[in-house]
Amino acid sequence: MSLKSKAGLSQELSQASQVSQNSTGSPEYNEEDIIPHLKAHYNVPLIRTTNDLIKLVVKILRKLLSDYENEYSRMILEIIADIREPLNPTDEETESLEAKKNKLYDEMVKLEDQLEELQAEKEENIRQQNVRQANSINNSITILDQKLNMLDNEYGALVDTENSIYRRALTLASILLETCKLDMNDPGIVRILTALIGPSLQKTDVPEIRNEAIRCLGLYVLLDSDLCKQYL
């Protein structure tokens, strides 16, 4: 239970104790009054999101691994690299998420252009009272519109995957920068700045990611402000 929850529980128990006092003025805790307050706090889950789970697991990992030869730091850097793999695949034959997004976006733009042309052609046939041709064009529009919606859903799924990657990687980076003694010349540490924090700061449409990136940048500046000036 968090300190905030404990403080809230203590306050509510204090309020419950005021319901009944004995002759000496000392509080008497009535079970019927206290149990609802206990349940209200202990039913709140410690883990609400995947990021909460990541933080808990990393804290446990920090307890298990020694600082000998930076074993903990190396492991966290490897995990961050694995999480980021779909963004920048090491395998040249594997498409990055960004490449897949760009390809889908180009296909959607082409479909939208085709739809505009067909819509104009349909309206022209309607003006000429060519009903059969207008209906045929309308069927083509329906098919293209369905395909466009399918591509739009695929694009949205890729964006969600990309954002999830950034969230998990930034959570780990934040913990690493906050709790470890790091060699700032380590290429893995530099990549956190250039390949993770930098791109995350550009995600102005996802405040949650950008805010976490700003926090990571602040922690990084505390460790090496000169390097931040060089790359950002």
Side-chain angles (χ1 to χ4, degrees):
M1 180 180 293
S2 66
L3 292 176
K4 185 177 180 180
S5 296
K6 288 180 179 178
L9 176 59
S10 176
Q11 181 179 2
E12 291 194 4
L13 286 176
S14 177
Q15 292 172 354
S17 71
Q18 295 174 6
V19 174
S20 175
Q21 290 187 342
N22 62 21
S23 58
T24 63
S26 301
E28 289 184 348
Y29 293 101
N30 188 305
E31 183 177 348
E32 293 180 358
D33 296 324
I34 294 175
I35 287 180
H37 297 287
L38 291 172
K39 286 183 177 180
H41 286 274
Y42 280 97
N43 285 339
V44 176
L46 292 174
I47 300 173
R48 295 175 180 269
T49 65
T50 53
N51 277 357
D52 291 338
L53 179 59
I54 289 173
K55 291 176 183 178
L56 180 61
V57 170
V58 172
K59 286 180 181 179
I60 294 172
L61 185 64
R62 186 72 181 91
K63 297 292 184 181
L64 295 176
L65 295 179
S66 67
D67 287 331
Y68 179 68
E69 294 184 349
N70 296 320
E71 181 182 9
Y72 170 77
S73 301
R74 280 204 316 272
M75 179 172 286
I76 297 299
L77 284 174
E78 289 174 4
I79 294 173
I80 292 175
D82 288 342
I83 291 173
R84 291 188 59 258
E85 176 70 15
L87 298 177
N88 301 102
T90 54
D91 182 2
E92 295 181 357
E93 296 181 359
T94 304
E95 268 190 322
S96 68
L97 278 177
E98 190 64 28
K100 292 178 181 178
K101 282 171 53 185
N102 290 338
K103 184 180 293 185
L104 282 174
Y105 181 80
D106 290 341
E107 290 182 30
M108 287 191 294
V109 170
K110 290 179 182 178
L111 283 177
E112 287 174 348
D113 291 340
Q114 292 176 25
L115 283 169
E116 286 183 8
E117 292 175 3
L118 286 173
Q119 189 64 36
E121 188 177 347
K122 172 188 169 182
E123 291 174 359
E124 180 63 27
N125 277 276
I126 290 174
R127 280 194 294 269
Q128 296 178 6
Q129 297 184 353
N130 190 345
V131 179
R132 180 177 297 180
Q133 183 64 16
N135 287 337
S136 177
I137 294 172
N138 191 63
N139 290 336
S140 298
I141 289 175
T142 301
I143 293 172
L144 287 180
D145 196 43
Q146 290 173 348
K147 186 175 181 181
L148 181 60
N149 287 335
M150 182 182 68
L151 292 178
D152 187 57
N153 290 335
E154 289 181 23
Y155 186 88
L158 287 178
V159 171
D160 289 342
T161 299
E162 182 182 63
N163 289 340
S164 176
I165 289 172
Y166 275 110
R167 287 189 187 95
R168 287 179 289 155
L170 285 169
T171 297
L172 286 172
S174 174
I175 295 171
L176 181 66
L177 293 170
E178 189 174 9
T179 61
C180 294
K181 295 180 180 179
L182 303 170
D183 177 8
M184 302 311 292
N185 295 318
D186 186 326
I189 299 297
V190 176
R191 277 195 296 274
I192 286 180
L193 176 64
T194 59
L196 178 60
I197 297 176
S200 299
L201 290 172
Q202 306 304 317
K203 285 189 165 291
T204 54
D205 57 326
V206 190
E208 178 188 353
I209 292 176
R210 191 168 187 273
N211 291 344
E212 188 64 24
I214 291 173
R215 184 175 188 277
C216 286
L217 180 61
L219 293 169
Y220 208 110
V221 167
L222 292 175
L223 297 171
D224 195 332
S225 59
D226 292 335
L227 192 62
C228 288
K229 293 177 183 177
Q230 179 180 347
Y231 284 98
L232 296 178

